């Protein structure tokens, strides 16, 4: 039991259990249906990619507010470049563009010594503006041939009987979990967020760690955008709006401390499950959409307070 409490995703586990009990009590017949579970897991998988990247950045004591726009940019690039470069070519270009945004922001933070909140807030607006200019506010669709292309089906259909997004989430989360907890890079990432001075005194090149983390975060956001467009191949200018807030909430609910050095991949996935589940259930109960924004704000504050108290209880400095 003590080991469970010490686990990075303990708060998220409690949150998921409480959520399932509450939903079962107020809407059992509506919640426990195959259609509801399928939709929730599908949307959770997409948000989880963005939340995992956000969690890694937060672990380094930074934050990335641009992930929603990067998610939209990658999706728009994937669809609109397909006629010129084909599905595989547009997919690669979209991922490169996402990584480039992350790299630019990382250099501004690390080499320019600027606050990541300000840099990525600028990135959010700049990239969103590019999406508006690029699309002209119009909707773009995949061609009929592109919809049935093997690459499109690989990321937007079903693999081994499960939705592709869920399959890729399991694969990517497992890889990231191993990287975080069983590789020198993971140790350096947590050390950078825990105490940068201490990490540098031990030879950790914290600047390099942060740059790679920002790039990885943008890549995951871009990949989530591509997964979404493979499944629903139609762009719109609002693609990914407010996703940064959901991703931050999911990461924090999952146990990430905004003071850095603590968090987990599985916690970010469970946090995404909680955020998506509440959104779905509020809609199912007919609540106004504004209640969802209220929920995200309240839960974010509660999660921060809970994580800080849990960290102090376990003897961590926050």
């Amino acid at each position: 039991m003590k080991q469970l409490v010490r686990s990075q995703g303990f708060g998220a586990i409690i949150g998921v259990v409480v959520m399932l009990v509450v939903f079962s009590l107020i809407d059992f017949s509506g919640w426990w249906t195959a259609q509801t579970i399928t939709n929730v897991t599908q949307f959770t998988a997409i948000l989880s990619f963005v939340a995992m990247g956000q969690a890694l950045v937060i672990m380094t004591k930074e934050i990335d507010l641009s992930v929603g726009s990067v998610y939209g940019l990658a999706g728009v690039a994937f669809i609109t470049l397909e006629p010129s470069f084909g599905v595989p070519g547009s997919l690669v270009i979209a991922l490169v563009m996402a990584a480039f945004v992350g790299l630019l922001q990382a250099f501004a933070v690390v080499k320019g010594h600027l606050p990541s909140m300000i840099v990525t807030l600028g990135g959010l607006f700049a990239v969103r503006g590019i999406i508006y200019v690029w699309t002209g506010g119009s909707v773009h669709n995949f061609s009929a041939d592109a919809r049935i292309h093997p690459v499109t089906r690989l990321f937007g259909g079903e693999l081994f009987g499960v939705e592709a997004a869920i399959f890729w989430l399991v694969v990517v989360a497992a890889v990231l979990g191993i990287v975080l907890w069983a590789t020198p890079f993971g140790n350096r990432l947590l050390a950078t967020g825990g105490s940068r001075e201490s990490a540098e005194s031990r030879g950790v090149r914290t600047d390099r760690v942060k740059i790679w983390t920002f790039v990885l975060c943008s890549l995951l956001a871009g990949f989530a955008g591509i997964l979404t467009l493979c499944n629903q191949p139609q762009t719109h200018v609002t693609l990914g709006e407010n996703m940064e807030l959901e991703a931050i909430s999911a990461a924090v609910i999952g146990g990430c401390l905004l003071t850095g050095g603590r968090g987990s991949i599985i916690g970010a996935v469970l946090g995404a499950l909680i955020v998506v589940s509440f959104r779905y259930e509020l809609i199912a109960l007919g609540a106004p959409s504004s209640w969802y924004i209220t929920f995200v704000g309240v839960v974010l504050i509660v999660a921060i307070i809970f994580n800080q108290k849990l960290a102090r209880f376990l003897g961590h400095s926050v």
Side-chain angles (χ1 to χ4, degrees):
M1 184 64 184
K2 185 178 291 185
Q3 190 64 31
L4 176 63
V5 173
R6 287 182 176 278
S7 67
Q8 306 284 320
F10 175 71
I13 295 172
I14 295 297
V16 169
V17 171
V18 171
M19 177 191 73
L20 293 178
V21 170
V22 171
F23 286 177
S24 297
L25 290 175
I26 64 175
D27 186 28
F28 185 88
S29 60
W31 175 252
W32 293 107
T33 65
Q35 186 62 47
T36 298
I37 294 173
T38 299
N39 290 338
V40 168
T41 51
Q42 172 76 13
F43 292 135
T44 296
I46 297 298
L47 179 59
S48 292
F49 283 101
V50 188
M52 289 189 297
Q54 190 69 252
L56 294 174
V57 171
I58 291 176
M59 286 180 218
T60 66
K61 211 174 182 176
E62 303 291 351
I63 200 162
D64 190 342
L65 298 177
S66 69
V67 288
S69 295
V70 173
Y71 168 93
L73 178 67
V76 167
F78 180 50
I79 291 286
T80 57
L81 295 178
E82 182 275 328
S84 302
F85 299 95
V87 175
S90 63
L91 187 150
V92 172
I93 293 173
L95 288 177
V96 169
M97 291 175 66
F100 184 65
V101 173
L103 184 64
L104 282 180
Q105 294 182 142
F107 269 100
V109 171
V110 172
K111 302 300 181 184
H113 302 290
L114 298 172
S116 58
M117 180 176 290
I118 301 302
V119 170
T120 56
L121 181 62
L124 181 157
F125 289 119
V127 174
R128 182 60 60 187
I130 292 172
I131 294 174
Y132 273 88
V133 172
W134 191 343
T135 63
S138 59
V139 175
H140 294 262
N141 295 287
F142 253 165
S143 63
D145 289 340
R147 288 172 186 262
I148 60 173
H149 192 281
V151 174
T152 306
R153 304 315 305 160
L154 180 65
F155 295 107
E158 287 190 356
L159 292 174
F160 307 109
V162 298
E163 292 288 338
I166 299 171
F167 174 83
W168 289 114
L169 171 63
V170 172
V171 173
V172 174
V175 171
L176 289 178
I178 293 172
V179 168
L180 186 60
W181 297 112
T183 68
F185 178 77
N187 291 332
R188 292 166 189 159
L189 188 152
L190 291 170
T192 298
S195 174
R196 184 171 183 173
E197 293 75 15
S198 176
E200 289 178 343
S201 70
R202 297 178 182 178
V204 176
R205 302 180 70 172
T206 57
D207 287 354
R208 181 175 294 185
V209 170
K210 289 192 177 187
I211 289 172
W212 276 110
T213 306
F214 271 104
V215 171
L216 186 56
C217 180
S218 289
L219 265 177
L220 287 169
F223 186 60
I226 289 169
L227 285 176
T228 302
L229 271 297
C230 280
N231 195 47
Q232 299 173 346
Q234 185 180 74
T235 68
H236 50 85
V237 293
T238 60
L239 189 65
E241 275 192 353
N242 294 326
M243 186 172 252
E244 58 280 349
L245 302 179
E246 294 180 325
I248 292 170
S249 298
V252 173
I253 292 171
C256 283
L257 285 177
L258 294 177
T259 50
R262 182 178 168 83
S264 72
I265 296 301
I266 186 63
V269 174
L270 292 175
L273 173 62
I274 292 174
V275 171
V276 170
S277 297
F278 267 89
R279 179 175 60 189
Y280 195 90
E281 189 60 19
L282 285 174
I283 293 173
L285 293 176
S289 59
S290 54
W291 278 111
Y292 170 65
I293 303 299
T294 303
F295 156 77
V296 172
V298 171
V299 170
L300 179 59
I301 295 171
V302 171
I304 290 172
I305 295 172
F306 178 83
N307 287 340
Q308 287 186 332
K309 288 188 177 298
L310 181 62
R312 291 193 180 101
F313 174 76
L314 295 174
H316 298 284
S317 60
V318 293

